[in-house]
Amino acid sequence: MIKISPLQKIKKEIEIPSDKSISHRALMISSLSKGKTRIRNFLQSHDTLITLNCFKKLNVGITYKKKDKEVIINSGGSYFDAPKKLNLYSGESGTTIRLISGILAGQRFISCLSAAPSLEKRPMKRITFPLRLMGADIQGREEAGNEYPPLSIKPVKGLHSIIYKTPVASAQIKSAIIFASLFSKGITKIKEPFISRDHTERMLKFFGAKLKKQSGYILVEKSKLKTPGEILIPGDFSSAAFFVTLGLILKNSELRVKNVGLNSTRTGLIPALKSMGAKIRILHKNRSYFEPYGDILIESSSLKGITIKQEDIPLMIDEIPLLMICACFARGTTKIYGLKELRVKETDRITSMVYNLKKAGQDIETKSYKSGKETNWMVKIKGGKRIRPAEFKSFSDHRTAMSLIIFALASEKGGGIDDIECINKSFPGFISIVDSL
Ligand code: S3P
């Protein structure tokens, strides 16, 4: 058990590591582009290194300069060499397996995407189904009406375009289809029920892909990508969000988080927190080629409960555990709707958060409800309850672990957590920053 001692207050400027989603895409899109691309401020984490290894196995020229946080990619273009061993390992990275599937669907060799036990439990039919509609030969392990890793992908004569309405607002589903469309005949049209993060679209456009938005659809067609030579990845808003939360719920505190990605399809937590009464300001807003970034200034705030609707969830999908924590510190009741997707993250994050917050004496309940034909989930939290010191369980999920550490840091008596190794999945320097505070 790792002990977490409470913090009194913070007054500090911090810098957080680079964006995980954008780092994955930078490796993939640079590998698809003929020529040399220098990726600056690349995130060195378990998941992003898994993607890097996959492209090494596909014989893309990759130099990883760990000390400089740089990756240099030298690619021959969008068709790769068959891996010497059929298998490409996706570890625990959902972004790797789902996005690479779209790329491998258009290749001229057989491949297999294997996964670590936690990822083997995560659903893949959401990507295999639309990819098969495009003519791909992709198959997962079938179980209870869904498909799971490992995935096998065989070459086909050609892929073709589709018009597809994704049942779930998910950047991973959308991106898999977009990548396959780069190898397909015709114009693919994709529509999501709600907007999800658009890093793939932005970066592909920057690399010259034929991609545009029209009447609520994303239109994309076969494209030869051209490297811009260099890209710079901003800090990860999802990592910054842990400290944004801490700065708000700790008393007498002020925090500045520098150089954070501020793409509005990622930062849905900010307007949600502002409507709870959070004092958050954005300074030095800038643009790094295709993504906005800037500094976030946070002051201790007195929060009040709010209601979050399903359509807002994709814009803060990874920050919901933090929103639950803010709700515990707020006056009144917070209701968060549309949480179904949290059930299929690295762990079921509704269960992991409800279990731990209840253990700390919080008033939190979960309810299912009907939304059209499907069942969805909401949580209701009555804030202002005394926080009991507790021994938390991370469920081996990085975001559950970091959220609970923030919660314990802001409590009167602190607490403990069983496992922090999982944090390296996305945020290797998290503990050092906490220590520095
Ligand atoms: C991601 C998309 C989201 C998010 C995940 C990273 C991405 O998943 O939860 O951490 O990089 O595309 P979904 O697309 O499944 O919502």
Side-chain angles (χ1 to χ4, degrees):
M1 192 60 56
I2 291 110
K3 192 169 173 271
I4 309 152
S5 308
L7 270 172
Q8 298 306 318
K9 61 172 180 182
I10 44 176
K11 283 217 183 336
K12 218 176 154 69
E13 261 189 29
I14 57 169
E15 208 140 344
I16 39 94
S18 156
D19 190 283
K20 177 158 86 74
S21 285
I22 304 178
S23 291
H24 280 297
R25 285 155 173 85
L27 292 171
M28 295 177 187
I29 294 174
S30 305
S31 296
L32 287 167
S33 312
K34 198 176 163 111
K36 186 170 162 181
T37 313
R38 179 173 167 225
I39 304 170
R40 288 172 53 214
N41 198 30
F42 172 75
L43 173 71
Q44 188 209 327
S45 73
H46 277 178
D47 276 13
T48 47
L49 293 176
I50 284 277
T51 295
L52 188 138
N53 263 331
C54 287
F55 283 95
K56 271 191 173 166
K57 288 201 171 144
L58 295 172
N59 213 13
V60 176
I62 299 184
T63 313
Y64 173 34
K65 299 182 177 170
K66 193 172 164 180
K67 252 181 45 208
D68 302 330
K69 297 188 199 156
E70 264 189 31
V71 180
I72 313 285
I73 305 236
N74 247 306
S75 173
S78 52
Y79 290 97
F80 309 124
D81 295 340
K84 285 211 176 75
K85 287 183 187 153
L86 212 63
N87 185 37
L88 296 168
Y89 182 58
S90 312
E92 296 182 356
S93 175
T95 308
T96 307
I97 196 164
R98 294 200 178 111
L99 270 60
I100 281 197
S101 291
I103 296 174
L104 293 175
Q107 299 295 317
R108 295 164 177 149
F109 48 79
I110 302 181
S111 51
C112 171
L113 283 162
S114 66
S118 70
L119 183 56
E120 274 182 340
K121 293 190 202 108
R122 296 178 68 187
M124 293 297 146
K125 196 168 172 184
R126 49 181 59 200
I127 56 138
T128 55
F129 178 75
L131 291 176
R132 279 196 292 270
L133 289 180
M134 299 177 81
D137 188 344
I138 180 167
Q139 193 64 49
R141 173 177 53 85
E142 283 180 24
E143 202 183 300
N146 211 314
E147 285 170 56
Y148 298 89
L151 304 177
S152 86
I153 303 159
K154 294 182 191 147
V156 288
K157 275 244 162 69
L159 299 176
H160 54 80
S161 61
I162 51 169
I163 299 174
Y164 192 65
K165 290 189 180 174
T166 62
V168 184
S170 152
Q172 294 182 352
I173 302 178
K174 171 176 69 175
S175 302
I177 303 170
I178 292 178
F179 280 132
S181 307
L182 298 176
F183 297 91
S184 306
K185 208 172 140 203
I187 302 174
T188 286
K189 297 182 183 177
I190 309 160
K191 191 175 186 134
E192 302 187 274
F194 310 115
I195 294 167
S196 69
R197 65 187 70 187
D198 66 355
H199 301 306
T200 306
E201 296 93 302
R202 282 173 189 250
M203 197 184 292
L204 275 175
K205 269 183 29 199
F206 192 63
F207 277 70
K210 292 181 203 150
L211 184 148
K212 62 180 175 191
K213 272 194 174 167
Q214 205 173 68
S215 322
Y217 280 86
I218 299 159
L219 272 53
V220 53
E221 57 187 300
K222 197 173 197 147
S223 310
K224 267 206 174 127
L225 305 183
K226 256 187 31 214
T227 173
E230 178 180 305
I231 51 174
L232 173 66
I233 303 175
D236 196 321
F237 178 77
S238 298
S239 298
F242 295 104
F243 297 100
V244 169
T245 303
L246 185 62
L248 290 176
I249 59 181
L250 264 186
K251 296 221 164 71
N252 304 316
S253 295
E254 255 179 54
L255 189 69
R256 183 180 188 132
V257 193
K258 292 173 74 183
N259 299 324
V260 186
L262 293 170
N263 177 330
S264 60
T265 63
R266 281 292 293 286
T267 55
L269 183 69
I270 294 184
L273 291 175
K274 279 190 171 170
S275 58
M276 291 176 90
K279 292 180 207 152
I280 300 179
R281 277 183 301 147
I282 304 295
L283 285 186
H284 294 157
K285 198 158 176 184
N286 217 317
R287 185 167 271 275
S288 149
Y289 305 106
F290 45 89
E291 293 280 354
Y293 71 95
D295 294 358
I296 308 178
L297 255 76
I298 308 109
E299 271 178 65
S300 318
S301 307
S302 140
L303 302 177
K304 62 173 196 299
I306 50 161
T307 297
I308 300 281
K309 293 199 255 37
Q310 179 181 1
E311 66 219 54
D312 296 326
I313 298 299
L315 309 179
M316 54 175 123
I317 184 74
D318 291 338
E319 287 69 66
I320 302 299
L322 289 169
L323 189 62
M324 291 182 189
I325 285 172
C326 289
C328 294
F329 280 82
R331 271 172 291 120
T333 302
T334 296
K335 292 178 186 168
I336 316 173
Y337 287 88
L339 295 183
K340 193 177 177 192
E341 276 297 293
L342 262 69
R343 297 247 186 245
V344 289
K345 294 296 173 192
E346 282 83 336
T347 190
D348 173 344
R349 282 190 189 139
I350 300 181
T351 302
S352 69
M353 290 305 293
V354 170
Y355 168 87
N356 283 300
L357 293 176
K358 275 200 167 152
K359 216 172 170 190
Q362 300 307 291
D363 186 341
I364 175 165
E365 58 175 294
T366 328
K367 261 195 200 143
S368 66
Y369 66 95
K370 280 274 175 216
S371 163
K373 277 188 197 152
E374 62 162 33
T375 303
N376 213 318
W377 292 87
M378 63 86 72
V379 297
K380 184 172 155 191
I381 301 171
K382 283 192 192 143
K385 295 278 169 302
R386 207 181 68 80
I387 302 172
R388 258 198 325 252
E391 295 191 341
F392 295 124
K393 240 173 93 173
S394 74
F395 292 80
S396 300
D397 172 40
H398 57 142
R399 300 203 195 279
T400 299
M402 290 186 275
S403 302
L404 291 166
I405 292 174
I406 296 298
F407 182 62
L409 286 171
S411 69
E412 253 175 56
K413 298 200 170 135
I417 188 151
D418 62 342
D419 161 42
I420 53 169
E421 165 57 26
C422 52
I423 291 175
N424 291 327
K425 188 177 203 289
S426 64
F427 196 166
F430 177 79
I431 297 293
S432 323
I433 299 183
V434 168
D435 281 343
S436 80
L437 298 175

